[in-house]
Amino acid sequence: MNDLQIVQVDERDNNWENTRPRFRVYLHGSGETTTHGWTDTYDIAGADVLQVIDWAQRQAGESLTYAVALVHDDRASEQLDPGRARGLVWLVGIDGNTNAMDPEETQAMQRMVARRREPVGVPAADRMPPGALDPYNDGSQSR
């Protein structure tokens, strides 16, 4: 984490907010020590990031890795280059099939593998509500 920065800012410096974010979850059928493998991808709206992390962890269990991104559609870019304006902001992990080009990407992938054994703690009040799509959980996973 050579580029880690923590800087105090004026909270009024933003010009827009999105109260209905769309998240993208990547589940990777990866090897025991790697994130590379098949990918199953889901978009989630109507939830906050903790609920999305909870959902992703429940799906991944101890055998898959996962990553969570914020989906951003740039309207100005869409006008300039139609169909090419969607981008992702990685929140947890990165694309598991990326060929790590620097130590930070390698570290991110190692942390993704480590989350199989030590999942992110999500309090009960912040978990995904019951009844949400649960394709990888047969009811035996209780994280």
Side-chain angles (χ1 to χ4, degrees), residues 7-48:
V7 180
Q8 187 175 19
V9 298
D10 181 340
E11 75 279 3
R12 298 167 292 181
D13 73 347
N14 59 300
N15 293 302
W16 61 271
E17 295 180 10
N18 180 353
T19 60
R20 305 247 338 132
R22 173 177 302 278
F23 299 96
R24 181 156 295 170
V25 174
Y26 289 80
L27 298 169
H28 307 106
S30 45
E32 191 172 313
T33 60
T34 181
T35 60
H36 290 266
W38 57 262
T39 303
D40 200 6
T41 309
Y42 295 86
D43 275 6
I44 300 175
D48 70 22

Side-chain angles (χ1 to χ4, degrees), residues 76-113:
S77 293
E78 181 65 25
Q79 291 177 347
L80 295 173
D81 195 2
R84 310 265 313 152
R86 178 161 287 173
L88 301 175
V89 177
W90 291 109
L91 303 175
V92 179
I94 61 174
D95 179 351
N97 288 313
T98 295
N99 291 321
M101 301 300 267
D102 60 47
E104 288 180 8
E105 288 179 343
T106 299
Q107 184 181 48
M109 290 176 155
Q110 290 169 345
R111 291 171 54 215
M112 289 167 67
V113 170

